[in-house]
Amino acid sequence: MTILEAIRAGAERLEAAGVPNADYDAREMLAHVLGEDALMMRMQGMRSLPVAQAAAYEAMLARREQREPMQYILGEAAFMGLGFHVEPGVLCPRPDTEILCEEALRHIRPGMRVLDIGTGSGALAVSIKKHAPESDVTAVDISDTAIAIAADNAQRNGAAVRFLKSDCFSALEGESFDVIVSNPPYISAEEMCSLMPEVCMEPELALFGGEDGLDFYRRISREAAGHLKKGGVLLFEIGWKQKDAVSALLEEHIGAPHALRDYGKNWRVVYAVKEKD
Ligand code: GLN
């Protein structure tokens, strides 16, 4: 079988399984198996596919047919120009979360203490440390699996981040920060029933935000007030319908809220500066 034939056959199978970008995914998986750039591989599509690689490609196709996310299958995801290892147990980094990272970076100055709550793969914390190397970054998560994966990602990227197992602020008594970021679980009970098949394979712990999806915003906003320095900032990623509710929480506990949209023009980030001590 040639590379071109393998891509076509793979894409057809994925298409039949309802995979949205079947041809693209088939090419990415085959390129990954061959250790090549997808475009270069396609330009030499008449080459025949070695048996060992054909078997590895087959195994990946079978996983994708089950609608497993590409990032889990490839074992890697790109975020803020960096590479992250991901596997089931942590949420796959999303491009929209880069808006939160970029906004956080606008507020960070050398020497500032930064906290990432619910770090998951470590994408936010590691990216912040890489893009603001003179900041002092702490990342917490309630999941041991997440802490292990995030610490590995910090090492891969050469980022010195402090990781702690913590249920929000539970392990951070007496500590205060200049910038707190969080992409907490924010899917509501109703939305949990209509997720894409790929998202259903991600950990519920990283997705489900209680009945109305707002549990973690309530808790983090309230508790953050005691862990933010004066002039410090709390920044959240939000679901596209949550801007008003989360802004009201920030207004109540932190300060005047601001909101930003994502690449799809949906509200995606809200933040507030703590004006009072
Ligand atoms: N952005 C994710 C989704 O739409 C949700 C991530 C989260 O709950 N923090 O599937």
Side-chain angles (χ1 to χ4, degrees), residues 26 37 64 72 76 84 90 104 119 128 132 154 156 182 192 194 202 208 213 219 221 232 248 251 257 265 272:
D37 174 81
R64 192 71 188 102
Y72 288 165
E76 62 193 20
F84 290 86
V90 291
T119 195
I128 287 172
R156 280 166 189 255
S182 185
M192 284 300 284
S194 56
E202 296 184 280
F208 184 48
R219 183 166 166 204
S221 300
E251 179 103 61
K265 301 273 176 271

Side-chain angles (χ1 to χ4, degrees), residues 53-133:
Q53 272 98 344
Y57 177 56
E58 165 61 36
M60 286 185 159
L61 281 174
R63 290 173 70 180
R64 192 71 188 102
E65 274 182 309
Q66 298 301 312
R67 306 295 299 270
E68 200 173 331
M70 278 295 279
Q71 295 95 321
Y72 288 165
I73 299 172
L74 301 180
E76 62 193 20
F79 185 79
M80 292 295 292
L82 301 167
F84 290 86
H85 167 70
V86 289
E87 59 185 55
V90 291
L91 198 75
C92 301
R94 278 88 162 144
D96 288 330
T97 305
E98 292 180 350
I99 309 277
L100 172 62
C101 193
E102 282 163 5
E103 187 58 29
L105 286 166
R106 281 201 330 111
H107 297 269
I108 297 171
R109 303 281 172 269
M112 280 189 172
R113 299 197 75 217
V114 182
L115 172 65
D116 175 19
I117 301 177
T119 195
S121 67
L124 274 170
V126 170
S127 300
I128 287 172
K129 182 65 187 174
K130 289 299 281 187
H131 289 273

